[in-house]
PDB file of all heavy atoms in Angstrom:
ATOM      1  N   GLN C 164      16.644-158.310-155.794  1.00  0.00           N
ATOM      2  CA  GLN C 164      16.965-159.668-155.326  1.00  0.00           C
ATOM      3  C   GLN C 164      18.298-159.836-155.111  1.00  0.00           C
ATOM      4  O   GLN C 164      19.295-159.300-155.815  1.00  0.00           O
ATOM      5  CB  GLN C 164      16.637-160.819-156.342  1.00  0.00           C
ATOM      6  CG  GLN C 164      17.102-160.690-157.716  1.00  0.00           C
ATOM      7  CD  GLN C 164      16.555-161.658-158.623  1.00  0.00           C
ATOM      8  OE1 GLN C 164      16.358-162.755-158.297  1.00  0.00           O
ATOM      9  NE2 GLN C 164      16.225-161.267-159.859  1.00  0.00           N
ATOM     10  N   VAL C 165      18.797-160.528-154.024  1.00  0.00           N
ATOM     11  CA  VAL C 165      20.227-160.869-153.778  1.00  0.00           C
ATOM     12  C   VAL C 165      20.673-161.909-154.729  1.00  0.00           C
ATOM     13  O   VAL C 165      20.093-163.006-154.902  1.00  0.00           O
ATOM     14  CB  VAL C 165      20.326-161.372-152.259  1.00  0.00           C
ATOM     15  CG1 VAL C 165      21.794-161.655-152.009  1.00  0.00           C
ATOM     16  CG2 VAL C 165      19.908-160.269-151.345  1.00  0.00           C
ATOM     17  N   GLU C 166      21.906-161.706-155.317  1.00  0.00           N
ATOM     18  CA  GLU C 166      22.453-162.670-156.280  1.00  0.00           C
ATOM     19  C   GLU C 166      23.887-162.585-156.469  1.00  0.00           C
ATOM     20  O   GLU C 166      24.524-161.570-156.143  1.00  0.00           O
ATOM     21  CB  GLU C 166      21.707-162.462-157.738  1.00  0.00           C
ATOM     22  CG  GLU C 166      21.934-161.087-158.371  1.00  0.00           C
ATOM     23  CD  GLU C 166      21.229-161.067-159.662  1.00  0.00           C
ATOM     24  OE1 GLU C 166      21.856-161.510-160.576  1.00  0.00           O
ATOM     25  OE2 GLU C 166      20.117-160.385-159.702  1.00  0.00           O
ATOM     26  N   ASP C 167      24.489-163.620-156.977  1.00  0.00           N
ATOM     27  CA  ASP C 167      25.861-163.599-157.283  1.00  0.00           C
ATOM     28  C   ASP C 167      25.958-163.104-158.826  1.00  0.00           C
ATOM     29  O   ASP C 167      25.332-163.817-159.637  1.00  0.00           O
ATOM     30  CB  ASP C 167      26.552-165.019-157.142  1.00  0.00           C
ATOM     31  CG  ASP C 167      26.579-165.462-155.710  1.00  0.00           C
ATOM     32  OD1 ASP C 167      26.790-164.530-154.808  1.00  0.00           O
ATOM     33  OD2 ASP C 167      26.406-166.578-155.398  1.00  0.00           O
ATOM     34  N   PHE C 168      26.742-162.218-159.146  1.00  0.00           N
ATOM     35  CA  PHE C 168      26.783-161.546-160.375  1.00  0.00           C
ATOM     36  C   PHE C 168      27.671-162.356-161.280  1.00  0.00           C
ATOM     37  O   PHE C 168      27.386-162.321-162.497  1.00  0.00           O
ATOM     38  CB  PHE C 168      27.221-160.142-160.406  1.00  0.00           C
ATOM     39  CG  PHE C 168      26.262-159.203-159.594  1.00  0.00           C
ATOM     40  CD1 PHE C 168      26.658-158.549-158.356  1.00  0.00           C
ATOM     41  CD2 PHE C 168      24.924-159.066-160.078  1.00  0.00           C
ATOM     42  CE1 PHE C 168      25.871-157.619-157.914  1.00  0.00           C
ATOM     43  CE2 PHE C 168      23.990-158.168-159.475  1.00  0.00           C
ATOM     44  CZ  PHE C 168      24.503-157.513-158.224  1.00  0.00           C
ATOM     45  N   HIS C 169      28.678-163.007-160.757  1.00  0.00           N
ATOM     46  CA  HIS C 169      29.647-163.670-161.693  1.00  0.00           C
ATOM     47  C   HIS C 169      30.376-164.816-160.819  1.00  0.00           C
ATOM     48  O   HIS C 169      30.650-164.675-159.643  1.00  0.00           O
ATOM     49  CB  HIS C 169      30.705-162.768-162.216  1.00  0.00           C
ATOM     50  CG  HIS C 169      31.398-163.265-163.476  1.00  0.00           C
ATOM     51  ND1 HIS C 169      32.516-164.059-163.332  1.00  0.00           N
ATOM     52  CD2 HIS C 169      31.171-163.093-164.830  1.00  0.00           C
ATOM     53  CE1 HIS C 169      32.977-164.367-164.480  1.00  0.00           C
ATOM     54  NE2 HIS C 169      32.238-163.723-165.510  1.00  0.00           N
ATOM     55  N   PRO C 170      30.642-166.016-161.533  1.00  0.00           N
ATOM     56  CA  PRO C 170      31.358-167.011-160.708  1.00  0.00           C
ATOM     57  C   PRO C 170      32.801-166.626-160.294  1.00  0.00           C
ATOM     58  O   PRO C 170      33.310-167.213-159.124  1.00  0.00           O
ATOM     59  CB  PRO C 170      31.317-168.206-161.661  1.00  0.00           C
ATOM     60  CG  PRO C 170      31.138-167.633-162.942  1.00  0.00           C
ATOM     61  CD  PRO C 170      30.236-166.366-162.751  1.00  0.00           C
ATOM     62  N   SER C 171      33.430-165.741-161.032  1.00  0.00           N
ATOM     63  CA  SER C 171      34.737-165.236-160.716  1.00  0.00           C
ATOM     64  C   SER C 171      34.576-164.251-159.532  1.00  0.00           C
ATOM     65  O   SER C 171      33.889-163.296-159.797  1.00  0.00           O
ATOM     66  CB  SER C 171      35.504-164.627-161.862  1.00  0.00           C
ATOM     67  OG  SER C 171      36.569-163.821-161.460  1.00  0.00           O
ATOM     68  N   PRO C 172      35.267-164.370-158.402  1.00  0.00           N
ATOM     69  CA  PRO C 172      35.261-163.525-157.320  1.00  0.00           C
ATOM     70  C   PRO C 172      35.654-161.990-157.699  1.00  0.00           C
ATOM     71  O   PRO C 172      34.897-161.008-157.331  1.00  0.00           O
ATOM     72  CB  PRO C 172      36.084-164.018-156.215  1.00  0.00           C
ATOM     73  CG  PRO C 172      36.237-165.476-156.652  1.00  0.00           C
ATOM     74  CD  PRO C 172      36.063-165.601-158.066  1.00  0.00           C
ATOM     75  N   MET C 173      36.715-161.925-158.482  1.00  0.00           N
ATOM     76  CA  MET C 173      37.185-160.613-158.982  1.00  0.00           C
ATOM     77  C   MET C 173      36.097-159.920-159.873  1.00  0.00           C
ATOM     78  O   MET C 173      35.759-158.686-159.702  1.00  0.00           O
ATOM     79  CB  MET C 173      38.463-160.760-159.727  1.00  0.00           C
ATOM     80  CG  MET C 173      38.982-159.392-160.192  1.00  0.00           C
ATOM     81  SD  MET C 173      40.608-159.498-160.984  1.00  0.00           S
ATOM     82  CE  MET C 173      41.620-159.924-159.559  1.00  0.00           C
ATOM     83  N   GLU C 174      35.540-160.748-160.793  1.00  0.00           N
ATOM     84  CA  GLU C 174      34.595-160.094-161.704  1.00  0.00           C
ATOM     85  C   GLU C 174      33.314-159.782-160.952  1.00  0.00           C
ATOM     86  O   GLU C 174      32.682-158.721-161.196  1.00  0.00           O
ATOM     87  CB  GLU C 174      34.256-161.107-162.861  1.00  0.00           C
ATOM     88  CG  GLU C 174      33.368-160.666-163.882  1.00  0.00           C
ATOM     89  CD  GLU C 174      34.157-159.923-165.044  1.00  0.00           C
ATOM     90  OE1 GLU C 174      35.364-159.856-164.873  1.00  0.00           O
ATOM     91  OE2 GLU C 174      33.569-159.608-166.027  1.00  0.00           O
ATOM     92  N   ASP C 175      32.995-160.712-160.046  1.00  0.00           N
ATOM     93  CA  ASP C 175      31.729-160.399-159.159  1.00  0.00           C
ATOM     94  C   ASP C 175      31.961-159.105-158.440  1.00  0.00           C
ATOM     95  O   ASP C 175      30.888-158.210-158.309  1.00  0.00           O
ATOM     96  CB  ASP C 175      31.430-161.589-158.139  1.00  0.00           C
ATOM     97  CG  ASP C 175      30.277-161.405-157.383  1.00  0.00           C
ATOM     98  OD1 ASP C 175      29.094-161.782-157.909  1.00  0.00           O
ATOM     99  OD2 ASP C 175      30.298-160.903-156.277  1.00  0.00           O
ATOM    100  N   ARG C 176      33.028-158.861-157.845  1.00  0.00           N
ATOM    101  CA  ARG C 176      33.287-157.552-157.210  1.00  0.00           C
ATOM    102  C   ARG C 176      33.201-156.396-158.000  1.00  0.00           C
ATOM    103  O   ARG C 176      32.601-155.404-157.666  1.00  0.00           O
ATOM    104  CB  ARG C 176      34.563-157.605-156.343  1.00  0.00           C
ATOM    105  CG  ARG C 176      35.000-156.362-155.679  1.00  0.00           C
ATOM    106  CD  ARG C 176      36.385-156.461-155.084  1.00  0.00           C
ATOM    107  NE  ARG C 176      37.472-156.670-155.938  1.00  0.00           N
ATOM    108  CZ  ARG C 176      37.929-155.595-156.729  1.00  0.00           C
ATOM    109  NH1 ARG C 176      37.433-154.347-156.581  1.00  0.00           N
ATOM    110  NH2 ARG C 176      38.862-155.881-157.682  1.00  0.00           N
ATOM    111  N   ILE C 177      33.854-156.535-159.279  1.00  0.00           N
ATOM    112  CA  ILE C 177      33.663-155.378-160.239  1.00  0.00           C
ATOM    113  C   ILE C 177      32.289-154.963-160.525  1.00  0.00           C
ATOM    114  O   ILE C 177      31.898-153.911-160.572  1.00  0.00           O
ATOM    115  CB  ILE C 177      34.554-155.712-161.384  1.00  0.00           C
ATOM    116  CG1 ILE C 177      36.070-155.745-161.057  1.00  0.00           C
ATOM    117  CG2 ILE C 177      34.217-154.662-162.517  1.00  0.00           C
ATOM    118  CD1 ILE C 177      36.847-156.317-162.201  1.00  0.00           C
ATOM    119  N   ILE C 178      31.509-155.993-160.870  1.00  0.00           N
ATOM    120  CA  ILE C 178      30.137-155.878-161.286  1.00  0.00           C
ATOM    121  C   ILE C 178      29.294-155.222-160.134  1.00  0.00           C
ATOM    122  O   ILE C 178      28.519-154.350-160.277  1.00  0.00           O
ATOM    123  CB  ILE C 178      29.389-157.050-161.841  1.00  0.00           C
ATOM    124  CG1 ILE C 178      30.174-157.616-163.071  1.00  0.00           C
ATOM    125  CG2 ILE C 178      28.050-157.009-162.055  1.00  0.00           C
ATOM    126  CD1 ILE C 178      29.743-159.069-163.595  1.00  0.00           C
ATOM    127  N   ARG C 179      29.649-155.813-158.888  1.00  0.00           N
ATOM    128  CA  ARG C 179      28.822-155.374-157.688  1.00  0.00           C
ATOM    129  C   ARG C 179      29.159-153.865-157.443  1.00  0.00           C
ATOM    130  O   ARG C 179      28.371-153.064-156.967  1.00  0.00           O
ATOM    131  CB  ARG C 179      29.294-156.201-156.475  1.00  0.00           C
ATOM    132  CG  ARG C 179      28.417-156.236-155.279  1.00  0.00           C
ATOM    133  CD  ARG C 179      28.729-157.228-154.237  1.00  0.00           C
ATOM    134  NE  ARG C 179      28.605-158.600-154.763  1.00  0.00           N
ATOM    135  CZ  ARG C 179      27.494-159.168-154.822  1.00  0.00           C
ATOM    136  NH1 ARG C 179      26.352-158.596-154.540  1.00  0.00           N
ATOM    137  NH2 ARG C 179      27.296-160.384-155.448  1.00  0.00           N
ATOM    138  N   ASP C 180      30.551-153.437-157.714  1.00  0.00           N
ATOM    139  CA  ASP C 180      30.886-152.052-157.375  1.00  0.00           C
ATOM    140  C   ASP C 180      30.163-151.254-158.343  1.00  0.00           C
ATOM    141  O   ASP C 180      29.671-150.083-158.114  1.00  0.00           O
ATOM    142  CB  ASP C 180      32.329-151.940-157.531  1.00  0.00           C
ATOM    143  CG  ASP C 180      33.052-152.454-156.322  1.00  0.00           C
ATOM    144  OD1 ASP C 180      32.469-152.689-155.312  1.00  0.00           O
ATOM    145  OD2 ASP C 180      34.375-152.658-156.473  1.00  0.00           O
ATOM    146  N   ARG C 181      29.993-151.635-159.636  1.00  0.00           N
ATOM    147  CA  ARG C 181      29.348-150.800-160.668  1.00  0.00           C
ATOM    148  C   ARG C 181      27.789-150.745-160.435  1.00  0.00           C
ATOM    149  O   ARG C 181      27.083-149.638-160.430  1.00  0.00           O
ATOM    150  CB  ARG C 181      29.505-151.416-162.043  1.00  0.00           C
ATOM    151  CG  ARG C 181      30.890-151.270-162.540  1.00  0.00           C
ATOM    152  CD  ARG C 181      30.848-151.845-164.006  1.00  0.00           C
ATOM    153  NE  ARG C 181      32.316-152.038-164.481  1.00  0.00           N
ATOM    154  CZ  ARG C 181      32.708-153.026-165.171  1.00  0.00           C
ATOM    155  NH1 ARG C 181      31.840-153.987-165.626  1.00  0.00           N
ATOM    156  NH2 ARG C 181      34.019-153.098-165.622  1.00  0.00           N
ATOM    157  N   TYR C 182      27.264-151.831-159.845  1.00  0.00           N
ATOM    158  CA  TYR C 182      25.877-151.823-159.559  1.00  0.00           C
ATOM    159  C   TYR C 182      25.612-150.872-158.291  1.00  0.00           C
ATOM    160  O   TYR C 182      24.604-150.088-158.310  1.00  0.00           O
ATOM    161  CB  TYR C 182      25.518-153.336-159.005  1.00  0.00           C
ATOM    162  CG  TYR C 182      23.966-153.425-158.616  1.00  0.00           C
ATOM    163  CD1 TYR C 182      23.097-154.012-159.464  1.00  0.00           C
ATOM    164  CD2 TYR C 182      23.581-153.066-157.395  1.00  0.00           C
ATOM    165  CE1 TYR C 182      21.726-154.012-159.164  1.00  0.00           C
ATOM    166  CE2 TYR C 182      22.285-153.236-156.942  1.00  0.00           C
ATOM    167  CZ  TYR C 182      21.410-153.666-157.806  1.00  0.00           C
ATOM    168  OH  TYR C 182      19.969-153.845-157.548  1.00  0.00           O
ATOM    169  N   ARG C 183      26.500-150.929-157.267  1.00  0.00           N
ATOM    170  CA  ARG C 183      26.352-150.019-156.237  1.00  0.00           C
ATOM    171  C   ARG C 183      26.447-148.495-156.741  1.00  0.00           C
ATOM    172  O   ARG C 183      25.508-147.664-156.305  1.00  0.00           O
ATOM    173  CB  ARG C 183      27.495-150.137-155.205  1.00  0.00           C
ATOM    174  CG  ARG C 183      27.465-148.997-154.023  1.00  0.00           C
ATOM    175  CD  ARG C 183      28.736-149.122-153.296  1.00  0.00           C
ATOM    176  NE  ARG C 183      29.927-148.745-154.200  1.00  0.00           N
ATOM    177  CZ  ARG C 183      30.181-147.592-154.671  1.00  0.00           C
ATOM    178  NH1 ARG C 183      29.519-146.550-154.333  1.00  0.00           N
ATOM    179  NH2 ARG C 183      31.304-147.428-155.489  1.00  0.00           N
ATOM    180  N   LEU C 184      27.187-148.146-157.651  1.00  0.00           N
ATOM    181  CA  LEU C 184      27.338-146.782-158.145  1.00  0.00           C
ATOM    182  C   LEU C 184      26.108-146.379-158.959  1.00  0.00           C
ATOM    183  O   LEU C 184      25.534-145.303-158.622  1.00  0.00           O
ATOM    184  CB  LEU C 184      28.583-146.783-159.111  1.00  0.00           C
ATOM    185  CG  LEU C 184      28.728-145.456-159.782  1.00  0.00           C
ATOM    186  CD1 LEU C 184      28.983-144.262-158.782  1.00  0.00           C
ATOM    187  CD2 LEU C 184      29.874-145.441-160.833  1.00  0.00           C
ATOM    188  N   PHE C 185      25.582-147.291-159.860  1.00  0.00           N
ATOM    189  CA  PHE C 185      24.389-146.886-160.520  1.00  0.00           C
ATOM    190  C   PHE C 185      23.230-146.654-159.652  1.00  0.00           C
ATOM    191  O   PHE C 185      22.482-145.712-159.826  1.00  0.00           O
ATOM    192  CB  PHE C 185      24.172-148.066-161.655  1.00  0.00           C
ATOM    193  CG  PHE C 185      24.933-147.947-162.800  1.00  0.00           C
ATOM    194  CD1 PHE C 185      25.711-149.048-163.071  1.00  0.00           C
ATOM    195  CD2 PHE C 185      25.032-146.842-163.692  1.00  0.00           C
ATOM    196  CE1 PHE C 185      26.539-149.055-164.217  1.00  0.00           C
ATOM    197  CE2 PHE C 185      25.818-146.893-164.757  1.00  0.00           C
ATOM    198  CZ  PHE C 185      26.636-147.975-165.123  1.00  0.00           C
ATOM    199  N   TRP C 186      23.091-147.505-158.663  1.00  0.00           N
ATOM    200  CA  TRP C 186      21.956-147.387-157.748  1.00  0.00           C
ATOM    201  C   TRP C 186      22.029-146.195-156.839  1.00  0.00           C
ATOM    202  O   TRP C 186      21.021-145.445-156.640  1.00  0.00           O
ATOM    203  CB  TRP C 186      21.838-148.637-156.859  1.00  0.00           C
ATOM    204  CG  TRP C 186      20.635-148.953-156.220  1.00  0.00           C
ATOM    205  CD1 TRP C 186      19.402-148.221-156.319  1.00  0.00           C
ATOM    206  CD2 TRP C 186      20.258-149.900-155.190  1.00  0.00           C
ATOM    207  NE1 TRP C 186      18.432-148.700-155.495  1.00  0.00           N
ATOM    208  CE2 TRP C 186      18.924-149.795-154.898  1.00  0.00           C
ATOM    209  CE3 TRP C 186      20.929-151.046-154.647  1.00  0.00           C
ATOM    210  CZ2 TRP C 186      18.227-150.577-153.847  1.00  0.00           C
ATOM    211  CZ3 TRP C 186      20.307-151.802-153.699  1.00  0.00           C
ATOM    212  CH2 TRP C 186      19.005-151.640-153.394  1.00  0.00           C
ATOM    213  N   ASP C 187      23.257-145.899-156.437  1.00  0.00           N
ATOM    214  CA  ASP C 187      23.407-144.718-155.587  1.00  0.00           C
ATOM    215  C   ASP C 187      23.147-143.355-156.483  1.00  0.00           C
ATOM    216  O   ASP C 187      22.466-142.456-155.988  1.00  0.00           O
ATOM    217  CB  ASP C 187      24.958-144.623-155.117  1.00  0.00           C
ATOM    218  CG  ASP C 187      25.202-145.483-153.938  1.00  0.00           C
ATOM    219  OD1 ASP C 187      24.213-145.856-153.289  1.00  0.00           O
ATOM    220  OD2 ASP C 187      26.287-145.739-153.591  1.00  0.00           O
ATOM    221  N   ILE C 188      23.533-143.368-157.740  1.00  0.00           N
ATOM    222  CA  ILE C 188      23.164-142.251-158.487  1.00  0.00           C
ATOM    223  C   ILE C 188      21.739-142.029-158.757  1.00  0.00           C
ATOM    224  O   ILE C 188      21.054-141.026-158.758  1.00  0.00           O
ATOM    225  CB  ILE C 188      23.866-142.402-159.942  1.00  0.00           C
ATOM    226  CG1 ILE C 188      25.491-142.228-159.794  1.00  0.00           C
ATOM    227  CG2 ILE C 188      23.400-141.432-160.860  1.00  0.00           C
ATOM    228  CD1 ILE C 188      26.242-142.640-160.972  1.00  0.00           C
ATOM    229  N   TYR C 189      21.085-143.259-158.911  1.00  0.00           N
ATOM    230  CA  TYR C 189      19.620-143.323-159.183  1.00  0.00           C
ATOM    231  C   TYR C 189      18.837-142.774-157.860  1.00  0.00           C
ATOM    232  O   TYR C 189      17.884-142.004-158.036  1.00  0.00           O
ATOM    233  CB  TYR C 189      19.157-144.813-159.363  1.00  0.00           C
ATOM    234  CG  TYR C 189      17.743-145.001-159.736  1.00  0.00           C
ATOM    235  CD1 TYR C 189      17.000-144.025-160.586  1.00  0.00           C
ATOM    236  CD2 TYR C 189      17.007-146.051-159.107  1.00  0.00           C
ATOM    237  CE1 TYR C 189      15.611-144.448-160.923  1.00  0.00           C
ATOM    238  CE2 TYR C 189      15.809-146.236-159.292  1.00  0.00           C
ATOM    239  CZ  TYR C 189      15.090-145.455-160.115  1.00  0.00           C
ATOM    240  OH  TYR C 189      13.589-145.616-160.554  1.00  0.00           O
ATOM    241  N   VAL C 190      19.396-143.130-156.711  1.00  0.00           N
ATOM    242  CA  VAL C 190      18.867-142.752-155.470  1.00  0.00           C
ATOM    243  C   VAL C 190      18.801-141.259-155.224  1.00  0.00           C
ATOM    244  O   VAL C 190      17.927-140.486-155.072  1.00  0.00           O
ATOM    245  CB  VAL C 190      19.418-143.443-154.255  1.00  0.00           C
ATOM    246  CG1 VAL C 190      19.213-142.740-152.984  1.00  0.00           C
ATOM    247  CG2 VAL C 190      18.912-144.856-154.203  1.00  0.00           C
TER     248      VAL C 190
END
Side-chain angles (χ1 to χ4, degrees):
Q164 56 184 320
V165 178
E166 59 180 279
D167 294 325
F168 295 119
H169 198 278
S171 161
M173 181 180 292
E174 188 87 355
D175 185 83
R176 180 182 59 79
I177 291 167
I178 296 172
R179 198 171 296 280
D180 285 345
R181 291 182 193 144
Y182 182 97
R183 174 196 58 78
L184 174 64
F185 283 121
W186 197 6
D187 282 341
I188 292 171
Y189 181 50
V190 162

